[in-house]
Amino acid sequence: MQNTAFVATNCDLINNPKYQKLDATAMMLYSLYEERVSCSQYNVINGNQYYKDEQGRIFIIFTNEQAAAILHTSAKTIANRRKQLEDCHLVTLKRNGLKGWRIYVNPVESTPTNIELIMSWKNYSNGANSSVTATESQYNRTTQNVEYGLEKTGSTDWKKGRISISHSSISHPEKNMNECMKEHAHVRACDTQTREQSNSELPVQVRAAYLDSFGYISNNTKKALLAMINQTDAEMVAFAIQCASEHNAVNPIAYLQSIITSTANDPAINNVEQMMAKYAQNKARNNVKFQKRNVAKQPRQRKQRQYNNYRSQRANINEELPEWAKHPENIKNKKPTAEHKAKVQEMLDGNRLANELRKAVQLCRKLYDVDVAAIKKNLSQPNGYGYLTIDAPKLWEQYCQQQGENVLI
């Protein structure tokens, strides 16, 4: 097994009767969770506290889709196996925002001494001594270093860089954090030295300008900056970084690449002084355009205000009010006469009689004699319907046809 990386599985998952309901997929999923804890520990040791909660516990962020891709199964199967691990108290889930989950990996309980082991431990012990307890065998397991991918801050993706983490830091729950930090000290020192060496390749002024404006310089950022320096020079790139910082560029690298590309394609720009002069000229031209745009908007705004003022005013017309409008108090205090009341009552009665006549025609029923007399009186008026509705004569003809000739006028 030379040059072979593997994922170790805790044999207590096989021997302990508490975990007898777990299948191979669930055990493999727990092993992946254990391996991922090493990545979170490494990030916390190197100053990234994202994977450490308020109580100091380390958690992992590992989606079902990622585990399904590794184990060659579906995300639904991973969700079911994760639920089994949670029921066995091997993992604890807590919400991380609206969609994600924090996964706390709990240690596996050791197999009781009075239980007959399904999988013998002697294959993992040293020498000819095969009478090794479960706890001792767990400490004697291999501590083969396995390559892991670093977890990005705030995401579940892995970086391209590889590190080597010892599995013993998570397989031994009795170890404290200080021992774990000592174990990974050489990894931390090598990583810091490599990062400082990679950033030292950038010119001092470019590195200082980018760190002051946008912060950390990754490997991809360093490569992009070096490519820009090869196109122009370090002073031009530093000035472009300053311009990007003044404009609050959301994507600094893309903004810098556009500036450097336009500068490199301009034959009139050969040094940083000419670049500064060109930038000042463009800035002055943009300010003039902005002022002209504001001046062009002013007449339209003034006309709009005038229109709003005219719209809110009444027309300048000399109106003559009628007498009753000039003295509204007389109308309020004026009492209706008996003749007016009688006329209003006749109008109301006519409306009622028209409705009764319409219902009688529709339902083929007979009207009261009093109503018949009142309808005949209205129909004998000069307009032909009196205070009834205009369709009353036609309704009356239909009523006469239904009831007979004796109701005619």
Side-chain angles (χ1 to χ4, degrees), residues 36-298:
R36 194 66 178 266
V37 170
S38 299
C39 298
S40 296
Q41 287 180 347
Y42 178 80
N43 281 306
V44 172
I45 292 172
N46 285 273
N48 185 359
Q49 303 299 320
Y50 179 80
Y51 301 99
K52 187 177 181 181
D53 62 6
E54 296 78 6
Q55 287 77 27
R57 298 179 300 172
I58 295 177
F59 61 89
I60 65 173
I61 297 178
F62 202 8
T63 64
N64 293 339
E65 289 76 13
Q66 286 180 322
I70 296 173
L71 298 181
H72 298 204
T73 184
S74 63
K76 185 176 181 180
T77 301
I78 297 298
N80 295 333
R81 301 306 183 271
R82 190 175 71 176
K83 184 65 170 60
Q84 294 179 6
L85 296 178
E86 188 177 10
D87 295 339
C88 294
H89 305 287
L90 291 174
V91 297
T92 304
L93 302 179
K94 286 189 177 182
R95 273 289 182 187
N96 185 34
L98 298 177
K99 296 182 179 180
W101 291 92
R102 290 182 177 182
I103 303 177
Y104 296 87
V105 182
N106 303 324
V108 181
E109 293 186 9
S110 301
T111 306
T113 56
N114 58 347
I115 299 298
E116 182 180 358
L117 302 181
I118 300 174
M119 184 174 181
S120 177
W121 290 84
K122 64 181 180 180
N123 294 332
Y124 301 93
S125 61
N126 296 325
N129 183 16
S130 61
S131 58
V132 183
T133 62
T135 305
E136 292 173 348
S137 300
Q138 182 178 359
Y139 283 98
N140 290 332
R141 284 188 305 165
T142 178
T143 57
Q144 173 70 31
N145 288 343
V146 184
E147 289 187 340
Y148 302 90
L150 279 174
E151 292 178 284
K152 280 186 178 180
T153 303
S155 68
T156 56
D157 298 328
W158 290 4
K159 288 184 178 179
K160 295 181 180 179
R162 313 296 287 180
I163 61 171
S164 182
I165 304 296
S166 174
H167 183 271
S168 61
S169 61
I170 57 176
S171 62
H172 298 172
E174 290 81 0
K175 280 192 175 184
N176 55 24
M177 196 64 183
N178 292 331
E179 294 177 355
C180 180
M181 292 176 67
K182 292 178 181 179
E183 184 177 354
H184 299 290
H186 66 285
V187 178
R188 188 167 63 254
C190 294
D191 182 73
T192 304
Q193 183 179 0
T194 303
R195 186 167 59 248
E196 291 178 354
Q197 183 179 1
S198 63
N199 287 339
S200 63
E201 298 176 2
L202 289 173
V204 177
Q205 53 186 348
V206 175
R207 184 173 69 253
Y210 196 92
L211 290 175
D212 294 340
S213 302
F214 304 107
Y216 176 74
I217 302 176
S218 63
N219 291 331
N220 293 332
T221 303
K222 183 198 70 174
K223 293 178 181 179
L225 292 174
L226 290 175
M228 297 178 199
I229 293 174
N230 293 333
Q231 283 184 282
T232 54
D233 57 23
E235 294 181 352
M236 291 185 179
V237 174
F239 179 71
I241 293 174
Q242 181 182 354
C243 296
S245 177
E246 292 178 359
H247 289 82
N248 298 324
V250 178
N251 190 344
I253 294 300
Y255 196 91
L256 292 175
Q257 288 176 347
S258 64
I259 295 177
I260 296 300
T261 302
S262 61
T263 303
N265 295 332
D266 192 348
I269 301 177
N270 298 319
N271 50 42
V272 67
E273 288 78 10
Q274 296 176 354
M275 184 178 178
M276 291 181 179
K278 185 69 174 179
Y279 175 76
Q281 182 181 358
N282 293 338
K283 187 175 182 180
R285 185 174 64 253
N286 293 334
N287 292 336
V288 171
K289 289 182 179 179
F290 183 75
Q291 293 176 359
K292 289 182 178 179
R293 192 182 302 115
N294 291 340
V295 171
K297 289 182 178 180
Q298 291 179 359

